[in-house]
Amino acid sequence: MIIKFFANLREITKDHEITLKLENVKVKDALLVLEKKYGRDFRDVVFDPEGELYVRILINGRNIEYLEGLDTQVTGDDTVSLFPPVAGGSHAEL
Amino acid sequence: MKGYMGTVLRIDLDRQNAEKQKLDEQLARNFLGGRGLGAKILYDELKSGTDPLSPENILVFAIGPLTGTRTPSSGRHVVVSKSPLTGGIAFTSSGGTWGAELKRAGYDAIVVKGKAKKPLYLWIEDDEVGFRDAKEHWGKMISQSDEGIKSETDDEAKVLQIGIAGERMSRIAAIINEKYRAAGRCGLGAVMGAKNLKAIAVKGSRNPEAADSIGLTRAASRAMKMISESGVTKEDGGLNSFGTAVLTNIINASGIYPTRNFQTGTFSGAEKISGEAMAKTILKEKTACYECPMECGRWVKVEKGKYAGTEGESLEYETSWAFGGECGVNNLEALARANFLCNEYGLDTISTGSSIGFTMELLERGILSKEKVGIDLRFGNDDAMIQMIEKIAKREGFGDVLADGTKAASKKIGKGSEYYAMQVKGLELPAYDPRGAVGLGLNFATANRGACHVSGYTIAAEILGAPLKADPFDSGESKVDLTILFQNFTAAVDSGVNCLFLTFAVGASEYAEMISSLVGWEGYDADEFLRTGERIFAIERLFNKREGFGRKDDTLPQRFLKEPMPEGAPKGRVHPLAEMLDIYYRKRGYTEEGHPGKEKLNELGLMD
Ligand code: SF4
């Protein structure tokens, strides 16, 4: 599967895009593989201090929020894109 | 009433007369300032059916109570008029510091009527208002006339002006301030051109007072703190590191980056023109408007190649898309050149890029020929794109057809070209394909000035997931609520007036706190702020109703209703507008025709 990193995430990964030889795993398993590769800093930007997902993860362009979240299955043909919060808002209430 | 300067400057160009009028407090509380105040003035004073390019049209330059204060991102001003591009209400805002300077000069708004016999400009220095001959500056590039006007007035004056496009009354002409900032949309540069008003230079020496200075400092500091803590707006966050073009990759990955005139939503060249790419190549430094810690502006410089020498503040997301994805161009330097030319000639980048992309599709489909267009305006041909910008600005050759936007152009061209004009109410769509973000699509259809993203930026929730989260494909009641909420909130923010990007970090209660401590209104809270936004949206509707707008105009280009998205996450989807529109009208308290109903008007205090 193809993993793409955007914006400030690239400062940690140094990669824009990598291919992982993984078949039918859950998103959270793929994240563990990435954490091993890129270390603690990577984990710290992917999750906030409370352990909540901080980045947006898209699988083939669809946000995992509207799939099965971190339990969403990913196959070898999928493209997984990781974005830090890039625009759009904080936790302020409208 | 603190916070405001309490004065509206009335300019009669026919008689070269300037009069000062007191700003009514109840009017201010009901409509705040900026967009709201402008809409109210237009509604009360402009006869329906007025030709937007006639002397009778009214042009309002307005700021709000928060403008020019120590609250964050408060240098903006709003221009309101009847749009020559849509025939309906137009409001368009710009950053920089001109708005803050107008406040220091002692005014909350300038209302311009009539037409000067010869080109002139206004020179406002506190209480002094002068009408100056603009002969020397007419026909010049923006950077030249900016310098020229400053040398005749004051080096520190802030100059707002039109370029050659506005002088030639292009209906997609912008109003530029401080060389690089544009009140771009809806063609209000042409209204200035039609009035022979080249520029307004301002310099002021006063400071607004706050009703509760300590409270205002507290509220402003709180907002600043929220900016510094948000991953989006903080220093070295997404917006600050990469500018608004940080959106390019995420919008493209989501499959809604309009490509080659909205034929698809995925552009293979996106990475090359993204904010990330810019940061590594042509970016020289970050720039900011008045009192803004977010610094989303980009100063770029092209050092080599055919576009070498191109330099300036440039390439906001929408602009990089308008000449990038829309025209199929993946050369960042060409995009910087295109942006530079639009600034120098005073053209709206979105409508200009869209008009060119539209022509490119017509050529691809054989509806237009190369001979007719005069140049080889193929998708991806950056040289031809750059040439066409100059032709549009000068109304040369086929540029004359495009200088009035895609709706007018498609009427002239005929042969089914209307289908490929990507506009709503005459205003060209910005950089999001509504098939994959249906809340934004509903906003494009219903926004009062036409297809406008900043009237209700639901992308924040639908794609970026903050401050709320919403499934971009969901078209149910909650999505309609979301669109309405964003539209009302934005109408109030645009009347406040702060930069809309402040809403990336700050919510309605923070706005209300800033306003109440500044102005001193008893009981002013988030509900009143949002209700004000609802009132402003409704009075704009009433204005449009009088001009003949209704349900038939609350629509989207047929492409989005008929052609399924060919690829990406939204593959196979069209926009479900029909099912959303009835719910939208009902929830807004509007009639089936899309006009505010009696009960709603009563509730908003708009029955007269
Ligand atoms: S966020 Fe950007 S556009 Fe808005 S005020 Fe700040 S620098 Fe200007």
Side-chain angles (χ1 to χ4, degrees):
Chain A
M1 72 191 58
I2 296 171
I3 316 273
K4 293 183 173 183
F5 307 101
F6 294 97
N8 316 61
L9 270 181
R10 292 178 179 173
E11 282 164 26
I12 294 166
T13 62
K14 310 289 179 222
D15 293 314
H16 292 191
E17 185 177 319
I18 57 165
T19 305
L20 285 186
K21 288 212 169 61
L22 289 177
E23 273 302 329
N24 295 326
V25 293
K26 290 184 171 173
V27 173
K28 58 185 176 196
D29 304 324
L31 287 178
L32 282 176
V33 174
L34 293 171
E35 193 184 323
K36 249 198 199 134
K37 184 168 163 62
Y38 297 117
R40 180 77 204 190
D41 283 357
F42 181 79
R43 193 193 154 73
D44 288 348
V45 292
V46 172
F47 295 99
D48 69 12
E50 280 82 52
E52 293 287 319
L53 190 63
Y54 186 64
V55 297
R56 319 282 183 262
I57 302 180
L58 310 186
I59 298 180
N60 303 328
R62 188 81 170 125
N63 194 322
I64 60 167
E65 294 255 355
Y66 309 112
L67 301 167
E68 319 290 318
L70 290 170
D71 289 324
T72 308
Q73 288 283 338
V74 223
T75 72
D77 296 334
D78 290 335
T79 298
V80 181
S81 306
L82 278 78
F83 291 90
V86 287
S90 66
H91 301 291
E93 292 298 316
L94 268 177
Chain B
M1 178 175 57
K2 296 283 167 50
Y4 291 88
M5 301 313 273
T7 305
V8 173
L9 182 64
R10 296 260 173 186
I11 299 290
D12 177 348
L13 289 172
D14 293 326
R15 295 188 296 130
Q16 297 203 6
N17 184 46
E19 250 170 53
K20 297 182 182 104
Q21 180 194 27
K22 194 169 169 288
L23 178 69
D24 178 73
E25 177 155 6
Q26 196 53 48
L27 175 74
R29 188 153 182 171
N30 284 341
F31 294 94
L32 272 179
R35 174 175 161 188
L37 179 64
K40 173 70 173 152
I41 292 172
L42 263 273
Y43 185 69
D44 288 348
E45 300 180 24
L46 189 72
K47 234 175 92 212
S48 68
T50 302
D51 175 356
L53 297 181
S54 70
E56 287 73 36
N57 196 7
I58 301 171
L59 194 55
V60 181
F61 299 85
I63 55 175
L66 294 172
T67 312
T69 64
R70 68 193 94 123
T71 63
S73 323
S74 56
R76 289 190 91 84
H77 62 275
V78 182
V79 193
V80 184
S81 189
K82 180 174 174 181
S83 167
L85 188 62
T86 71
I89 190 91
F91 49 87
T92 170
S93 90
S94 176
T97 61
W98 190 87
E101 200 64 32
L102 183 65
K103 182 155 244 176
R104 287 167 57 78
Y107 306 97
D108 300 303
I110 307 174
V111 180
V112 181
K113 294 184 181 177
K115 178 183 178 179
K117 283 189 191 71
K118 284 187 301 198
L120 57 75
Y121 70 90
L122 293 177
W123 166 223
I124 301 172
E125 194 179 16
D126 291 327
D127 288 332
E128 299 297 319
V129 181
F131 295 80
R132 299 271 187 106
D133 189 345
K135 197 167 73 207
E136 285 299 309
H137 312 295
W138 201 258
K140 296 264 166 64
M141 298 300 249
I142 291 275
S143 55
Q144 282 177 305
S145 39
D146 186 275
E147 293 302 327
I149 290 171
K150 278 197 281 206
S151 72
E152 282 175 11
T153 55
D154 189 306
D155 274 352
E156 285 171 13
K158 308 291 179 206
V159 181
L160 163 157
Q161 59 169 323
I162 52 166
I164 291 169
E167 292 169 7
R168 302 198 180 173
M169 288 182 264
S170 157
R171 289 172 198 260
I172 56 173
I175 299 173
I176 307 278
N177 57 293
E178 299 151 90
K179 294 190 220 171
Y180 305 114
R181 293 273 160 183
R185 310 241 60 201
C186 298
L188 298 193
V191 178
M192 275 182 80
K195 292 186 174 304
N196 267 334
L197 178 60
K198 172 73 180 172
I200 305 179
V202 196
K203 190 172 174 234
S205 62
R206 281 168 263 198
N207 277 317
E209 289 172 26
D212 168 8
S213 188
I214 295 170
L216 180 67
T217 304
R218 207 184 306 121
S221 309
R222 199 156 90 102
M224 286 287 189
K225 186 159 178 278
M226 291 169 89
I227 291 173
S228 69
E229 285 171 352
S230 150
V232 176
T233 55
K234 68 180 183 194
E235 198 183 340
D236 296 328
L239 195 57
N240 175 263
S241 300
F242 304 105
T244 54
V246 73
L247 287 167
T248 307
N249 278 321
I250 192 165
I251 299 300
N252 191 53
S254 303
I256 59 167
Y257 187 73
T259 301
R260 294 184 295 282
N261 202 33
F262 291 82
Q263 296 187 66
T264 182
T266 310
F267 182 46
S268 60
E271 174 68 40
K272 279 187 160 171
I273 59 170
S274 63
E276 288 93 322
M278 206 192 312
K280 285 215 149 112
T281 54
I282 58 176
L283 176 67
K284 287 292 158 237
E285 61 184 49
K286 302 168 191 172
T287 59
C289 306
Y290 180 83
E291 284 289 318
C292 184
M294 291 183 269
E295 281 191 319
C296 81
R298 309 283 100 174
W299 186 275
V300 307
K301 186 173 181 190
V302 180
E303 272 159 357
K304 49 185 188 328
K306 57 186 171 182
Y307 302 116
T310 299
E311 183 174 7
E313 236 181 282
S314 192
L315 291 185
E316 190 263 333
Y317 168 66
E318 297 295 333
T319 301
S320 70
W321 161 78
F323 297 105
E326 168 69 10
C327 295
V329 171
N330 62 11
N331 173 351
L332 199 49
E333 295 171 351
L335 308 188
R337 185 73 196 163
N339 196 159
F340 173 85
L341 289 174
C342 287
N343 286 348
E344 282 289 1
Y345 285 112
L347 278 168
D348 176 35
T349 53
I350 298 178
S351 289
T352 304
S354 181
S355 299
I356 294 175
F358 157 77
T359 310
M360 288 172 163
E361 185 168 8
L362 297 185
L363 276 162
E364 189 176 80
R365 292 184 183 277
I367 295 173
L368 279 173
S369 65
K370 196 174 136 193
E371 290 64 45
K372 178 91 188 158
V373 176
I375 51 176
D376 185 18
L377 204 58
R378 268 178 289 117
F379 280 117
N381 185 347
D382 52 313
D383 287 335
M385 174 181 84
I386 299 286
Q387 278 178 45
M388 189 48 85
I389 295 171
E390 306 218 21
K391 287 180 183 294
I392 292 173
K394 297 178 189 159
R395 283 190 177 278
E396 273 173 18
F398 198 74
D400 186 37
V401 177
L402 298 184
D404 292 324
T406 54
K407 188 177 178 185
S410 68
K411 277 211 179 105
K412 276 192 192 150
I413 297 163
K415 300 187 209 160
S417 62
E418 294 85 350
Y419 184 87
Y420 304 103
M422 295 294 126
Q423 51 80 21
V424 176
K425 301 183 176 81
L427 184 70
E428 285 76 16
L429 264 83
Y432 310 88
D433 193 305
R435 287 170 288 195
V438 304
L440 190 74
L442 177 64
N443 167 66
F444 282 164
T446 55
N448 293 321
R449 72 174 189 178
C452 159
H453 58 300
V454 286
S455 283
Y457 193 65
T458 60
I459 289 295
E462 296 187 283
I463 301 294
L464 309 166
L468 312 161
K469 290 184 184 6
D471 184 338
F473 301 155
D474 171 42
S475 56
E477 302 234 348
S478 61
K479 184 57 71 67
V480 177
D481 286 333
L482 182 85
T483 301
I484 294 172
L485 178 65
F486 271 75
Q487 287 180 335
N488 292 346
F489 183 43
T490 310
V493 171
D494 285 347
S495 306
V497 176
N498 296 76
C499 178
L500 187 61
F501 297 162
L502 184 58
T503 64
F504 292 167
V506 166
S509 43
E510 286 76 29
Y511 275 95
E513 200 189 330
M514 291 191 286
I515 291 172
S516 69
S517 54
L518 173 68
V519 186
W521 284 328
E522 277 301 306
Y524 196 86
D525 59 9
D527 283 345
E528 182 168 345
F529 185 70
L530 287 170
R531 179 48 64 109
T532 303
E534 186 182 9
R535 181 180 303 115
I536 293 163
F537 198 88
I539 200 165
E540 291 170 349
R541 280 254 140 188
L542 292 178
F543 179 93
N544 277 357
K545 176 186 175 191
R546 213 165 56 185
E547 300 293 340
F549 285 77
R551 187 184 187 106
K552 65 179 189 333
D553 305 291
D554 288 338
T555 187
L556 287 170
Q558 290 296 306
R559 168 165 270 165
F560 306 123
L561 307 176
K562 286 184 179 158
E563 270 179 50
M565 181 68 100
E567 60 184 325
K571 184 174 177 179
R573 291 179 183 274
V574 292
H575 192 278
L577 181 64
E579 66 184 67
M580 297 180 89
L581 203 53
D582 283 323
I583 306 173
Y584 176 88
Y585 290 155
R586 174 167 51 75
K587 284 186 176 274
R588 272 217 175 270
Y590 291 1
T591 65
E592 281 179 10
E593 261 309 296
H595 304 135
K598 277 213 178 80
E599 217 172 295
K600 184 51 81 181
L601 290 175
N602 250 330
E603 197 186 303
L604 296 172
L606 289 174
M607 285 295 256
D608 49 20

